[in-house]
Amino acid sequence: MSAPKRSPASPVRSRSNDPEGMRNRILDAAFEAFVTRGYHATAMNDIRDLAGVSGGAFAHHFPSKKQLGLAVLKERVADAVMQSWIAPVQQAATAKEGILAVMTAIIDELSAKAKVTGCPLNNLAHELSGGDRDFQVACAAVFDRWQDGIAEALLRDGAVDETAEAGRLAGFVIASYSGAMAMAKSRQDTGALCDCRAMFDRMIP
């Protein structure tokens, strides 16, 4: 179903002179749809309607679904990882305190929603990385930045004293969290995430 026509004076039409704002609306709509519905289950028309843009404007910014998917990974998923994980861990007094605080915030948010949709990066990586090299590279880049960000914090506060060891510990944190999130999504219960947080408290120096 196409969006209803609007008069030239309507707020949506007036934003047509804001190409960056329009592009951001498309990315926001695509991010939400891809994470909750899945990339392959979401049609371009669905995103167009969610963003409230014309077909021509949509095609101008993203001529193909693949280009849109890569932009979502690089600009929305990467930003979500930065805001929810990397920045809080790096800004905390210690890496361990930051990791535990992040886990608590995620558990509290999911408990309040009473629904677990999963980690945006994990959801898209599972769906896309196996079949397309460009998607694989884009997903891996976000994981690498995530791992590097936690490793930097671990080295900074002396939790480990070698770069390689910091990278391995950061990888363990991400892998454990990702697995716990997958279990929480399948069970629609945060128990696995709570257990993961408890083990981080015991194991991270």
Side-chain angles (χ1 to χ4, degrees):
M1 180 177 179
S2 61
K5 295 181 179 180
R6 299 175 183 270
S7 68
S10 68
V12 170
R13 179 62 61 86
S14 67
R15 286 198 296 264
S16 63
N17 294 324
D18 177 17
E20 188 63 23
M22 181 178 295
R23 184 177 185 277
N24 284 329
R25 291 206 310 280
I26 295 170
L27 284 172
D28 289 341
F31 173 75
E32 178 68 20
F34 290 164
V35 169
T36 57
R37 304 180 190 177
Y39 174 85
H40 293 299
T42 303
M44 293 285 269
N45 285 346
D46 296 334
I47 299 168
R48 183 200 67 191
D49 292 342
L50 286 170
V53 300
S54 68
F58 190 102
H60 170 75
H61 289 287
F62 299 104
S64 73
K65 188 177 182 182
K66 180 176 177 178
Q67 288 179 332
L68 177 58
L70 289 170
V72 166
L73 280 166
K74 295 173 182 178
E75 299 180 42
R76 289 298 183 270
V77 176
D79 186 60
V81 172
M82 173 61 72
Q83 291 185 27
S84 63
W85 263 100
I86 299 173
V89 171
Q90 292 190 334
Q91 293 167 4
T94 68
K96 179 176 181 176
E97 288 182 17
I99 290 167
L100 294 178
V102 166
M103 292 295 295
T104 298
I106 291 171
I107 291 167
D108 289 347
E109 180 182 358
L110 295 177
S111 297
K113 289 181 177 178
K115 183 177 182 180
V116 182
T117 57
C119 167
L121 178 56
N122 287 342
N123 289 355
L124 290 174
H126 289 162
E127 185 177 7
L128 301 174
S129 292
D132 188 288
R133 176 63 179 168
D134 293 330
F135 280 127
Q136 180 187 359
V137 169
C139 290
V142 182
F143 274 116
D144 288 346
R145 180 65 190 97
W146 188 0
Q147 186 171 358
D148 290 345
I150 295 177
E152 290 167 8
L154 291 166
L155 278 171
R156 177 203 64 204
D157 58 47
V160 293
D161 56 10
E162 295 182 2
T163 301
E165 185 67 14
R168 284 191 287 268
L169 181 53
F172 165 77
V173 168
I174 294 168
S176 300
Y177 163 74
S178 298
M181 180 61 84
M183 293 171 68
K185 182 179 179 181
S186 67
R187 296 170 176 168
Q188 286 299 302
D189 180 273
T190 60
L193 290 166
C194 293
D195 291 343
C196 185
R197 177 182 57 186
M199 293 306 296
F200 285 162
D201 192 22
R202 291 175 57 183
M203 298 177 68
I204 299 175

